Structures are given as C-alpha cells and as structure tokens.
Amino acid sequence: MSAPHDSMTSAPSDASSDSPLLLANVSRRGFLIGASAFGGLVLAVGFPAALRAADAPKYGRDGMPDGWTDNPLAFVAIGEDGTVTIVCHRSEMGQGVRTGMPMIVADELEADWKRVRIAQAPGDQKRFGNQDTDGSRSTRHFFEPMRRCGAAARTMLETAAATRWNVPVGEVEARNHEVVHRQSGRRLGYGALAKDAAKLPVPPRDTLRLKDPSRFRYIGKGELKLADGPNIVSGKAQYGIDTRLPGMLYAVVARPPVYGGKVAKYDAAEALKVPGVVRVVEIEQSPPPAEFNPLGGVAVVARNTWAAIKGRQALKIEWNDGPNAGYDSTAFKATLEEAARKPGKVVRNDGDVDGAMASAARRVEAEYYIPHLAHATMEPPAATARIVQGKCEAWGCIQSPQAARDRIAKRLGMSADNVKVNVTLLGGGFGRKSKPDFMIEAAVLSKAMSGAPVKVTWTREDDLHNSYYHTVSVEHLEAGLDAGGKPVAWLHRTVAPTIMSTFNPEARNEAPFELGMNAVNVPFAIPNVRVENPEATAHTRIGWFRSVSNIPHAFAVQSFVAELAAAAGRDPKDFLLELIGPARRIDPRTLGDTWNHGEDPEQYPLDTGRMRRVVETAAREAGWGKTLPKGRGQGIAVVYSFVTYVAAVVEVLVNDKGELAIPRVDVAVDCGAQINPDRVRSQLAGACTMGVSLATKEEISFKAGRVEQDNYNAYEIMRTDASPREIRVHLIPGDFNAPLGGVGEPGVPPIAPALCNAIFAATGKRIRRLPIRDQLKA
Amino acid sequence: MVTLNVNGKTQQVDVAPDTPLLWALRDVLGLTGTKFGCGIALCGACTVHLDGQPTRSCVTPISAAAQRKITTVEGIGADRVGKAVQTAWVEVGVPQCGYCQAGQVMSATALLKQNPKPTDADIDAAMSGNICRCGTYSRIRAAIQRVAGQKGATQ
C-alpha cells in the first residue's frame, strides 16, 4: 500500500477550510453536529466534564469542549479528478493520528487510499469538534464519528450515481473509489460523481449504513504505511520549528529562571551590537498562576536563530525571583515525606483499615519517591505568528489549537474570529505542547514588530528550564497481612503538587482526575482500604506528562504489591492475580473514582477479567517463572489507565558491576479493538522505551528555585545502547462495535514498576526512589 | 560570505563565519530537514555528512564546512545506501513523531556505507549519539538490519 501523496499541508496555505472543495459547497442544512456543551470555558481545556460539578455529567466525547461532529462536509472533499481530501483535526505527534483518522473515513467511504490526500485542520472546534490532542482520546472519541463521516459521504455518492442511472439506490454500491450498478455492471468514479453528490443533503445519521467490520479494507489491518513517512525520511515534513515566511524574523526569549519571577532591569546594549540582531523586546510577565500564559522575559529578535541566541547571551538581566526562589528539591523531598507520614484528606475509605492493621499478623510499609520529569520533546516548543490587517495567523507544533487561538485573541485583544492557528507536525508532544504559552509568545512578538512574521524557538536549555513539569511525589504505602500472607488492610498516602496549582495557586490536593489514576481506583480484593492525600504546595509550573499521575501512583502500587508478595513468600504474578481477584466489572465510583478518565462508568466499568487476561498473557508470552541464570530476573506489573489494560513483564540482567541490561520486555495490551494495529504496537513499544528511560535516568531537580539540568547531558534520555533488546507487544483482540480504550499513554506506567520488580528478582535490591541511575552500583 | 557545497550545489551564505552549519542550512538556505535538538552535539538530530562523515551540524561553524561536500537529509536519497535506508525506514514503520529521524537516517546511512553488515554492537556504537524520545530504537535496529540483509543495497 502506498502512502497518500502530498500529505502535509504546507505552512502558509490551508487546504482544509478555504479551498473551493466540491462537497464543501453544499448547503449547511442537515449538519450532524454533536454535543458542544462546554465551549469556551477557561478551565475546560483538557479537563473532563466531571470536574465541573455544576454541569450535568456528560461523558466521553460529549464531555469535551465543543464535543464532536460527524459532519462529512467538515471532513471530506472530493475533487473532479477523484482526489479525496480528508481532514485530520487532531495533532500528529507520533501516535499516528494523521494516518489513523483519515483511514477510518476512507474505509467507510470505500476510498482508495492511494487517491486520498490528508489536510490538517486549523484550530476551529466549532467546525471540527474537540481538538485537544491529549488524554489518549483521539481514536477512542472519534472512531464512531469518523466512520459516520465516511458512510455519509459514501451514501451521497451512491445516491448521485443511482439518480444518474435512474435506478433505485439499493441496486448500487460503492466499491474502491467508484460506484457500481450491480445488475448492469455500470460504474462511475468518485470524481465523476463529486459534483452531483455535492448538491445532495447530508443523509440523517439514523439512515447511515456502517460497514460490517468483516468488510473493513483498512481498519484493523495495519497494512497502511505512515502517511507522513516518506516526507519524514526525506526532510520534507514540516514541524513547528520549520515554518518559513517571507520577511520572517527569528526570536529567542530569556525567561525568568524561577517560577513567578520577573525582570527587575535589563541592559540590551551589548545584545544589540551582535550582527543580525534587530531588536530587543520585553515580554510582560503574567502574574501566577501561570495557566497557559507566557512567563514573560526579554526577547531578542534577529535575522536568524543563531544571531538571536548570541544576542541573548549578551543580554544583562537582573531578575526579581519572587517567592519560589527557595525551591530546593532535596528539602522538598523531606517536606513531602513528612506530609506522607501524617494523616491527610481521606479520598477513599472502605472498611476499617486501622482495626485491620492492628489485628494483622504482619505489617509491611514502604515509601516511594518519583521526581519531576520534563517532556524533553526532540522538537522544542516553536511557533511563528504574523499580524496582517488586524488578523493574526500562527503556525506551530500545538496539541490544543483552539486554546492557542482563544489565548492569542485574549492577549492581543482581538476576536478569536481574527485569529487562525495552523497545526504543523509535532516533534513529540507528551503533554508539553498542550500549553500554548510558546505560541502566544510568537503572537506578542509579532505585534511588537508591527505584525512582521516572528518565529520563536526554544533552545533545549529553555525547554528544560521553563517547562510545565511532571509533578514530584512521595507515595507512602502500608499493608496488613493475615497469617496466610493475604492482605487484609491497605493504606496509601499520596503527596504531590497538583496540576490544578498551575490554574489555582490555592490548590494543594490532588484533583479527582489525578487520584483516579491508580491512587483511589485500585481494584484489589482487600476488605479494608484507605487512601489519603495530604497537601502539597507547588513551586513551579506543574503540567500533564504522558500518562500523568499514573506514573507515580502505579510505580508505588505495583512495586508495593511485589513487596507484599515477597513478604508473603509468594510468586509475584500469582499474588497479583489473587489481589485482583475474580473477574468482575466494578463501577469506578465504588472505588472513590468519580472521574474514570472522563468516560461513562456504565460503559467503561473497571473490568478485572480484562485486567487478569493481560497479566496472564504477558506472563505466558514471557515464559514467566522460567529458570534464569544468576543476575537475571523477571518483574511484572499491570496498570489500568485511559480505560485500557496493560501488563508488562520485564526481564533484566544485572552484572557484578551493577550494570543493568534489559534483554526483553513483553507487553500485553487490551485497548479494545485496534484500529491501526501497527501504530498500537509502535506506541506500546515507544512507551516501554520511554518508561525505561524515565525509570533509569530522568530527573528534574531544583536549587534556589532554578532547574539544575541544562541539556541532555544532565537530563539524560535513554539511548539505543541501553534500550531493551526486544520489545514484544501482544494485542488482545477486541470488538469494533464496543467502546475503545486509549493507546498513546497507557503503555508508560507499568514499565517502571515491572523493571524494578525484575531488578528485585535478579538482585534482591528494592528500588524505591526513581530514577535508578547508579543505585545498583552502591 | 561563505561558500558552501550542499547536496552538490554551491551556494553563498551571508552570515557570521562562526554561525553553526545547522542554522545556515535551516535559516539561510531553507533546508529545514536538518533538525535542531540540543545545540551542543548531544542528540544527533542535526546530523549531516561532511565529505561522507556523519557530523553534528549544530557545533560545526560554516567556516569549517566550506571547501567540503555537505550532504543533508534532503540530498541523501541520491545515494544508493541513503535511498535504501529511507525505504527501509518507511517499510518498517520506524518513525513516530519523526523529528529525530533525519539524523537517524544520516547516522544509519554513514554506518551502512562504512560497514554493510553491522552487528548489534556496531549499531549501538554508531547510533547511540542519536536520541529518539518516542523510543523507536528497536525499529531503527530492525530497519538497519533489513538494509544490511538486502543483496546489493549497500555494495
């Protein structure tokens, strides 16, 4: 199968909304617009409906800002030459959405993939539905609407052909880019039918015939190559950092090194002497909370990026650091530990934990530390903006183009109708690029330069010094075992600055969406369970990082389960399965989880049968329990996140010098049906690699309010020589008509605990503090 | 003014001679396929070939690149091995976000031209300078082995 041609929208033009596309000329009556209940709310971006108590609960795609649409007029256009243009409205950051989404439409449309062209939607949620590409939601929320888009467009083509031939529509059938009249064998290509089809109304949703999954051409097959692959390997693919416009200027910004700090005074004289530097511009600081606002600082605008970088080196800036100047990671760890050792806000309470602990035959206690992390996307944040005749147009690697559009409008004091945000490819996202601060910087600087196009590039140092960091946490666990080694009481105290602190400085408790990531919703068959959440204060910008709070919670919970197994003298896999208990479907609300990843608890119960199955599959495929030579060991962990079940068995080799190698990882995933199995495999393998990287090497630490890591030498990302030699991904088959799970994130959280459990099996050493770094050499 | 020979074409760039080749390629010549990742030769995203040798363009001043043959990812497809690497990358489905892959393709091409049948250890040695945050390492190794296994691809 070849990839669609011309698959990336070039930066300055936009094929999706302005081109005279045939189907796009149809009357807008008959639109199939879905729920759009929450558009425009400030805090709505990325947050599910359940967080806003005043609203009636809406789940899944209905609960997202601007909801969804299955209107083919927004997504499909057919040219008279037969080229089918399909719009992708979600941001591509490596998850394969620019292949997967159009593929769904093309399949129901019976389009020939070789004649499909993919256009990237600008930020316009009223037209396309929700575009926040986060939360592992794209396919899970848009599989059905995209199927209906394709089916509706197919029906219009069939109707046009039947009318042309004057035969009942039931006698015709769309097949591989043409419509065929079964009785006579007559056929008409999509190009020949496009004009007539464009005059027809969009058929009502309840009349659409969706394909039986047995007739899918592309969905579930994994045979289509990545749409952007050829452009990526030849250097043609356009990322946010690659935008070029006539007369464009290049900027880098010196931002406050401490969160909440601002410029006290600065001297630009030396910077202005650097050849190529055009101007030095102060960007006004927005006082905390940071939300999505630029941090402020001093920008150097130049004729090329290097001149801007050299100009910035020559700036003399005095900062007023503000109240976070004392943020120190060593001291803060002690603060978190102190909080974790005292009672805190009770967020789940089943039975009588204190009583059961008191009468337990044995008590086990452990504390885990998981540091701040940075996304460190290979492409640092970068965006370009220009203002022409009162209208701002921006380009960039953005996960949330509508939020960027709204925030640019607000900052520039113009209507969002006068702001257009074009989405490029993202050189990695992982949640960092959900925050449009860097794109607002470009707009502010363009305004300062009288509307000239300005590209803002973050250097790696900028990226690591001024990120929205993954939180830092201490997880304190206690359990009571009966005489037979069976857990009878479970106490988990989780302490971590909340993401909500980035929006509300008073927020000191984890939000329901954080607690619902494997703190409260552990589905273990233990009668007495209490989860507490003592307060923690944020001293930097806390933000979403791929799989979010599942990382610390699952590391602690799944490590502690293995610790209990060891205490009970049991096999960790058998012990884990016993804790999960028999197959049952649990209403997450009964576990204190009111969030459930934004999904309907009736439609998405926590299914322990599915959880057991991934554990059993990973164990079987990995040859769990096989005899291994000295220094080798296997570890297992299972995590339910983003309504998907993932179990991992990691096999390690630790030599006499304490050097770690990972010969093999087996990952079993049940995310429901796989729309593009090849991309599911690549996401799970990539998540495994990232999981090993963060477990072994990654840590952001602060001293005097400042991040200590400057670049990849101090913030180490795992390289190929240390990466697992073999990652085997085992997909559990699913039903295409059943609810789907997420794929982008859920592969990350089981890796760190499975790895540390394997290290324990191999060496007897229990890692409770990440990253592992040289702890095995001690 | 410095004269550069890029992908067989001689071009003049009018920026300071200490300007890294990376920024001259990207900002002056419009060859944005070569990527910025770290600026200090730690990640390999900016890898180009100078007279066939894989080189980090982010720390190579244009003054040091003059008089030498510069090949970027935009030009590597003209080389038989480079083309084979690009094809294998697409066939194996290596890229995720794809941002680091220009550098990976350049490093892999240099490896295979010098060592048509690399071992796993050879691959580790040649490719560990290139970071991939998406974690595509296992497919990169598979794609390199695929090219190495193709008769005539690297000879």
Short mmCIF file of all heavy atoms in Angstrom, two decimals, chain A residues 581-624:
data_model
loop_
_atom_site.label_atom_id
_atom_site.label_comp_id
_atom_site.label_asym_id
_atom_site.label_seq_id
_atom_site.Cartn_x
_atom_site.Cartn_y
_atom_site.Cartn_z
N GLY A 581 -8.28 -10.55 42.11
CA GLY A 581 -9.47 -11.32 42.43
C GLY A 581 -10.18 -11.83 41.20
O GLY A 581 -9.67 -11.74 40.08
N PRO A 582 -11.38 -12.38 41.40
CA PRO A 582 -12.11 -12.98 40.27
C PRO A 582 -12.56 -11.92 39.27
O PRO A 582 -12.63 -10.73 39.59
CB PRO A 582 -13.32 -13.64 40.95
CG PRO A 582 -13.49 -12.91 42.24
CD PRO A 582 -12.12 -12.47 42.67
N ALA A 583 -12.87 -12.37 38.05
CA ALA A 583 -13.34 -11.47 37.01
C ALA A 583 -14.65 -10.83 37.42
O ALA A 583 -15.60 -11.52 37.79
CB ALA A 583 -13.51 -12.25 35.70
N ARG A 584 -14.68 -9.51 37.44
CA ARG A 584 -15.91 -8.78 37.74
C ARG A 584 -15.81 -7.39 37.14
O ARG A 584 -14.72 -6.90 36.84
CB ARG A 584 -16.11 -8.70 39.26
CG ARG A 584 -15.02 -7.96 40.01
CD ARG A 584 -14.90 -8.47 41.46
NE ARG A 584 -13.96 -7.66 42.23
CZ ARG A 584 -12.63 -7.78 42.17
NH1 ARG A 584 -12.06 -8.67 41.34
NH2 ARG A 584 -11.84 -7.01 42.89
N ARG A 585 -16.96 -6.78 36.95
CA ARG A 585 -17.00 -5.43 36.39
C ARG A 585 -17.33 -4.45 37.52
O ARG A 585 -18.43 -4.49 38.06
CB ARG A 585 -18.03 -5.35 35.26
CG ARG A 585 -17.59 -6.15 34.03
CD ARG A 585 -18.76 -6.56 33.16
NE ARG A 585 -19.39 -5.44 32.51
CZ ARG A 585 -19.04 -4.94 31.32
NH1 ARG A 585 -18.04 -5.50 30.66
NH2 ARG A 585 -19.66 -3.93 30.79
N ILE A 586 -16.36 -3.60 37.86
CA ILE A 586 -16.50 -2.72 39.02
C ILE A 586 -16.88 -1.32 38.57
O ILE A 586 -16.24 -0.75 37.67
CB ILE A 586 -15.17 -2.65 39.81
CG1 ILE A 586 -14.71 -4.06 40.22
CG2 ILE A 586 -15.31 -1.75 41.03
CD1 ILE A 586 -13.32 -4.09 40.85
N ASP A 587 -17.93 -0.77 39.18
CA ASP A 587 -18.27 0.63 38.94
C ASP A 587 -17.17 1.48 39.60
O ASP A 587 -16.97 1.38 40.81
CB ASP A 587 -19.63 0.95 39.56
CG ASP A 587 -20.09 2.37 39.22
OD1 ASP A 587 -19.22 3.28 39.19
OD2 ASP A 587 -21.30 2.57 39.01
N PRO A 588 -16.44 2.28 38.82
CA PRO A 588 -15.31 3.01 39.39
C PRO A 588 -15.72 3.92 40.55
O PRO A 588 -14.89 4.20 41.43
CB PRO A 588 -14.77 3.83 38.21
CG PRO A 588 -15.84 3.79 37.16
CD PRO A 588 -16.61 2.54 37.38
N ARG A 589 -16.98 4.36 40.56
CA ARG A 589 -17.43 5.23 41.65
C ARG A 589 -17.39 4.52 42.99
O ARG A 589 -17.20 5.16 44.03
CB ARG A 589 -18.84 5.75 41.34
CG ARG A 589 -18.86 6.74 40.18
CD ARG A 589 -20.26 7.03 39.68
NE ARG A 589 -20.90 5.84 39.12
CZ ARG A 589 -21.98 5.88 38.33
NH1 ARG A 589 -22.55 7.03 38.03
NH2 ARG A 589 -22.49 4.76 37.85
N THR A 590 -17.52 3.19 42.96
CA THR A 590 -17.46 2.45 44.22
C THR A 590 -16.03 2.36 44.74
O THR A 590 -15.81 1.97 45.88
CB THR A 590 -18.02 1.02 44.06
OG1 THR A 590 -17.16 0.29 43.17
CG2 THR A 590 -19.44 1.04 43.51
N LEU A 591 -15.07 2.73 43.90
CA LEU A 591 -13.67 2.78 44.34
C LEU A 591 -13.25 4.21 44.68
O LEU A 591 -12.07 4.49 44.87
CB LEU A 591 -12.75 2.24 43.23
CG LEU A 591 -13.03 0.82 42.72
CD1 LEU A 591 -12.11 0.48 41.55
CD2 LEU A 591 -12.85 -0.20 43.84
N GLY A 592 -14.22 5.11 44.72
CA GLY A 592 -13.88 6.51 45.00
C GLY A 592 -13.40 7.26 43.78
O GLY A 592 -12.92 8.39 43.87
N ASP A 593 -13.52 6.65 42.61
CA ASP A 593 -13.08 7.31 41.37
C ASP A 593 -14.31 7.92 40.68
O ASP A 593 -15.09 7.22 40.05
CB ASP A 593 -12.39 6.30 40.45
CG ASP A 593 -11.99 6.92 39.12
OD1 ASP A 593 -11.99 8.17 39.02
OD2 ASP A 593 -11.68 6.17 38.18
N THR A 594 -14.45 9.23 40.84
CA THR A 594 -15.59 9.92 40.22
C THR A 594 -15.25 10.38 38.82
O THR A 594 -16.07 10.99 38.15
CB THR A 594 -15.96 11.17 41.05
OG1 THR A 594 -14.78 11.98 41.17
CG2 THR A 594 -16.45 10.78 42.43
N TRP A 595 -14.05 10.11 38.39
CA TRP A 595 -13.57 10.68 37.13
C TRP A 595 -13.60 9.67 35.97
O TRP A 595 -14.14 9.92 34.91
CB TRP A 595 -12.15 11.22 37.35
CG TRP A 595 -11.55 11.76 36.09
CD1 TRP A 595 -12.07 12.75 35.31
CD2 TRP A 595 -10.36 11.33 35.46
NE1 TRP A 595 -11.24 12.97 34.25
CE2 TRP A 595 -10.20 12.12 34.31
CE3 TRP A 595 -9.39 10.36 35.76
CZ2 TRP A 595 -9.11 11.97 33.46
CZ3 TRP A 595 -8.31 10.22 34.92
CH2 TRP A 595 -8.18 11.02 33.78
N ASN A 596 -12.98 8.52 36.18
CA ASN A 596 -13.00 7.44 35.19
C ASN A 596 -12.50 7.90 33.81
O ASN A 596 -13.07 7.54 32.78
CB ASN A 596 -14.41 6.86 35.07
CG ASN A 596 -14.42 5.46 34.48
OD1 ASN A 596 -13.53 4.66 34.75
ND2 ASN A 596 -15.41 5.17 33.65
N HIS A 597 -11.45 8.69 33.80
CA HIS A 597 -10.89 9.20 32.56
C HIS A 597 -11.94 9.89 31.69
O HIS A 597 -11.84 9.91 30.47
CB HIS A 597 -10.16 8.10 31.78
CG HIS A 597 -8.85 7.73 32.41
ND1 HIS A 597 -7.67 8.37 32.12
CD2 HIS A 597 -8.53 6.82 33.36
CE1 HIS A 597 -6.68 7.86 32.84
NE2 HIS A 597 -7.17 6.93 33.61
N GLY A 598 -12.94 10.45 32.35
CA GLY A 598 -13.96 11.21 31.63
C GLY A 598 -15.03 10.34 30.98
O GLY A 598 -15.93 10.85 30.34
N GLU A 599 -14.91 9.02 31.17
CA GLU A 599 -15.83 8.13 30.45
C GLU A 599 -17.00 7.70 31.35
O GLU A 599 -16.90 7.68 32.57
CB GLU A 599 -15.08 6.90 29.94
CG GLU A 599 -13.91 7.21 29.01
CD GLU A 599 -14.34 7.88 27.70
OE1 GLU A 599 -15.53 7.83 27.35
OE2 GLU A 599 -13.46 8.47 27.04
N ASP A 600 -18.08 7.31 30.70
CA ASP A 600 -19.29 6.84 31.36
C ASP A 600 -18.98 5.57 32.16
O ASP A 600 -18.55 4.56 31.59
CB ASP A 600 -20.34 6.54 30.28
CG ASP A 600 -21.68 6.12 30.86
OD1 ASP A 600 -21.75 5.80 32.06
OD2 ASP A 600 -22.65 6.11 30.08
N PRO A 601 -19.21 5.61 33.48
CA PRO A 601 -18.87 4.42 34.29
C PRO A 601 -19.71 3.19 33.93
O PRO A 601 -19.28 2.06 34.17
CB PRO A 601 -19.13 4.87 35.73
CG PRO A 601 -19.96 6.09 35.62
CD PRO A 601 -19.69 6.72 34.30
N GLU A 602 -20.88 3.43 33.33
CA GLU A 602 -21.69 2.27 32.91
C GLU A 602 -21.05 1.61 31.67
O GLU A 602 -21.01 0.39 31.55
CB GLU A 602 -23.11 2.72 32.53
CG GLU A 602 -23.83 3.52 33.61
CD GLU A 602 -24.27 2.65 34.77
OE1 GLU A 602 -24.42 1.43 34.56
OE2 GLU A 602 -24.44 3.19 35.88
N GLN A 603 -20.57 2.47 30.79
CA GLN A 603 -19.99 1.96 29.54
C GLN A 603 -18.56 1.45 29.75
O GLN A 603 -18.11 0.55 29.04
CB GLN A 603 -19.97 3.12 28.53
CG GLN A 603 -20.20 2.68 27.13
CD GLN A 603 -20.07 3.85 26.16
OE1 GLN A 603 -19.69 4.96 26.51
NE2 GLN A 603 -20.38 3.56 24.91
N TYR A 604 -17.88 2.07 30.68
CA TYR A 604 -16.49 1.72 30.96
C TYR A 604 -16.31 1.35 32.43
O TYR A 604 -15.70 2.10 33.19
CB TYR A 604 -15.56 2.89 30.64
CG TYR A 604 -15.31 3.17 29.18
CD1 TYR A 604 -16.12 4.07 28.47
CD2 TYR A 604 -14.24 2.59 28.52
CE1 TYR A 604 -15.86 4.36 27.14
CE2 TYR A 604 -13.98 2.87 27.19
CZ TYR A 604 -14.79 3.76 26.50
OH TYR A 604 -14.53 4.05 25.19
N PRO A 605 -16.83 0.21 32.86
CA PRO A 605 -16.51 -0.24 34.22
C PRO A 605 -15.05 -0.71 34.25
O PRO A 605 -14.45 -0.94 33.20
CB PRO A 605 -17.46 -1.41 34.43
CG PRO A 605 -17.72 -1.94 33.06
CD PRO A 605 -17.62 -0.78 32.11
N LEU A 606 -14.52 -0.84 35.47
CA LEU A 606 -13.19 -1.43 35.59
C LEU A 606 -13.38 -2.95 35.58
O LEU A 606 -14.00 -3.51 36.48
CB LEU A 606 -12.52 -0.95 36.88
CG LEU A 606 -11.01 -1.05 36.95
CD1 LEU A 606 -10.49 -0.29 38.17
CD2 LEU A 606 -10.50 -2.48 36.99
N ASP A 607 -12.88 -3.58 34.53
CA ASP A 607 -13.17 -5.00 34.29
C ASP A 607 -11.96 -5.83 34.73
O ASP A 607 -10.93 -5.87 34.03
CB ASP A 607 -13.46 -5.18 32.79
CG ASP A 607 -13.93 -6.58 32.45
OD1 ASP A 607 -13.54 -7.54 33.16
OD2 ASP A 607 -14.68 -6.73 31.47
N THR A 608 -12.08 -6.46 35.88
CA THR A 608 -10.93 -7.22 36.39
C THR A 608 -10.65 -8.47 35.56
O THR A 608 -9.54 -9.00 35.59
CB THR A 608 -11.13 -7.62 37.86
OG1 THR A 608 -12.37 -8.30 37.97
CG2 THR A 608 -11.13 -6.39 38.77
N GLY A 609 -11.65 -8.90 34.80
CA GLY A 609 -11.41 -10.03 33.89
C GLY A 609 -10.42 -9.63 32.80
O GLY A 609 -9.49 -10.39 32.47
N ARG A 610 -10.60 -8.42 32.29
CA ARG A 610 -9.66 -7.93 31.27
C ARG A 610 -8.28 -7.68 31.89
O ARG A 610 -7.25 -7.93 31.26
CB ARG A 610 -10.21 -6.65 30.63
CG ARG A 610 -11.49 -6.89 29.84
CD ARG A 610 -12.10 -5.60 29.32
NE ARG A 610 -11.31 -5.01 28.24
CZ ARG A 610 -11.61 -3.82 27.68
NH1 ARG A 610 -12.64 -3.12 28.11
NH2 ARG A 610 -10.86 -3.36 26.69
N MET A 611 -8.28 -7.21 33.12
CA MET A 611 -7.01 -6.98 33.81
C MET A 611 -6.26 -8.31 34.01
O MET A 611 -5.06 -8.41 33.77
CB MET A 611 -7.27 -6.28 35.14
CG MET A 611 -6.02 -5.87 35.88
SD MET A 611 -6.42 -4.93 37.38
CE MET A 611 -6.34 -3.27 36.77
N ARG A 612 -6.99 -9.31 34.45
CA ARG A 612 -6.38 -10.64 34.63
C ARG A 612 -5.81 -11.17 33.31
O ARG A 612 -4.73 -11.75 33.27
CB ARG A 612 -7.42 -11.64 35.16
CG ARG A 612 -7.91 -11.38 36.56
CD ARG A 612 -8.90 -12.48 36.99
NE ARG A 612 -8.22 -13.77 37.10
CZ ARG A 612 -7.67 -14.21 38.23
NH1 ARG A 612 -7.76 -13.49 39.33
NH2 ARG A 612 -7.06 -15.37 38.27
N ARG A 613 -6.58 -10.94 32.27
CA ARG A 613 -6.18 -11.51 30.98
C ARG A 613 -4.85 -10.92 30.48
O ARG A 613 -4.02 -11.63 29.92
CB ARG A 613 -7.29 -11.28 29.95
CG ARG A 613 -7.04 -12.04 28.67
CD ARG A 613 -8.24 -12.00 27.76
NE ARG A 613 -7.92 -12.63 26.48
CZ ARG A 613 -8.68 -12.53 25.40
NH1 ARG A 613 -9.82 -11.85 25.45
NH2 ARG A 613 -8.33 -13.13 24.29
N VAL A 614 -4.66 -9.60 30.65
CA VAL A 614 -3.37 -9.05 30.20
C VAL A 614 -2.22 -9.55 31.07
O VAL A 614 -1.12 -9.80 30.57
CB VAL A 614 -3.38 -7.50 30.08
CG1 VAL A 614 -4.28 -7.04 28.95
CG2 VAL A 614 -3.75 -6.81 31.38
N VAL A 615 -2.50 -9.73 32.36
CA VAL A 615 -1.46 -10.27 33.24
C VAL A 615 -1.09 -11.69 32.78
O VAL A 615 0.09 -12.03 32.62
CB VAL A 615 -1.93 -10.29 34.71
CG1 VAL A 615 -0.96 -11.09 35.59
CG2 VAL A 615 -2.10 -8.87 35.25
N GLU A 616 -2.12 -12.48 32.56
CA GLU A 616 -1.87 -13.88 32.17
C GLU A 616 -1.18 -13.95 30.80
O GLU A 616 -0.28 -14.77 30.58
CB GLU A 616 -3.20 -14.65 32.16
CG GLU A 616 -3.70 -14.93 33.57
CD GLU A 616 -5.20 -15.25 33.65
OE1 GLU A 616 -5.90 -15.11 32.62
OE2 GLU A 616 -5.65 -15.61 34.75
N THR A 617 -1.58 -13.08 29.90
CA THR A 617 -0.99 -13.08 28.55
C THR A 617 0.49 -12.68 28.60
O THR A 617 1.35 -13.35 28.00
CB THR A 617 -1.77 -12.13 27.62
OG1 THR A 617 -3.13 -12.54 27.59
CG2 THR A 617 -1.19 -12.15 26.21
N ALA A 618 0.76 -11.57 29.29
CA ALA A 618 2.16 -11.12 29.37
C ALA A 618 3.03 -12.19 30.03
O ALA A 618 4.14 -12.47 29.58
CB ALA A 618 2.26 -9.80 30.13
N ALA A 619 2.49 -12.80 31.09
CA ALA A 619 3.26 -13.82 31.82
C ALA A 619 3.52 -15.04 30.93
O ALA A 619 4.64 -15.55 30.86
CB ALA A 619 2.51 -14.22 33.09
N ARG A 620 2.48 -15.47 30.25
CA ARG A 620 2.63 -16.65 29.39
C ARG A 620 3.62 -16.39 28.26
O ARG A 620 4.54 -17.18 28.00
CB ARG A 620 1.26 -17.03 28.80
CG ARG A 620 1.27 -18.30 27.97
CD ARG A 620 -0.10 -18.60 27.38
NE ARG A 620 -0.51 -17.59 26.43
CZ ARG A 620 -1.58 -16.81 26.58
NH1 ARG A 620 -2.36 -16.91 27.64
NH2 ARG A 620 -1.88 -15.89 25.68
N GLU A 621 3.46 -15.25 27.60
CA GLU A 621 4.32 -14.94 26.46
C GLU A 621 5.77 -14.75 26.88
O GLU A 621 6.70 -15.01 26.11
CB GLU A 621 3.82 -13.68 25.74
CG GLU A 621 2.46 -13.85 25.08
CD GLU A 621 2.50 -14.77 23.87
OE1 GLU A 621 3.59 -14.97 23.30
OE2 GLU A 621 1.43 -15.29 23.49
N ALA A 622 5.96 -14.25 28.11
CA ALA A 622 7.32 -14.01 28.58
C ALA A 622 7.96 -15.27 29.15
O ALA A 622 9.13 -15.26 29.52
CB ALA A 622 7.30 -12.91 29.64
N GLY A 623 7.19 -16.33 29.23
CA GLY A 623 7.72 -17.53 29.87
C GLY A 623 7.94 -17.29 31.36
O GLY A 623 8.99 -17.63 31.92
N TRP A 624 6.96 -16.69 31.98
CA TRP A 624 7.08 -16.32 33.41
C TRP A 624 7.44 -17.55 34.24
O TRP A 624 6.87 -18.62 34.05
CB TRP A 624 5.75 -15.74 33.91
CG TRP A 624 5.80 -15.38 35.37
CD1 TRP A 624 5.39 -16.16 36.42
CD2 TRP A 624 6.32 -14.19 35.94
NE1 TRP A 624 5.62 -15.51 37.60
CE2 TRP A 624 6.19 -14.30 37.34
CE3 TRP A 624 6.90 -13.03 35.39
CZ2 TRP A 624 6.62 -13.28 38.22
CZ3 TRP A 624 7.30 -12.03 36.25
CH2 TRP A 624 7.16 -12.16 37.65
#
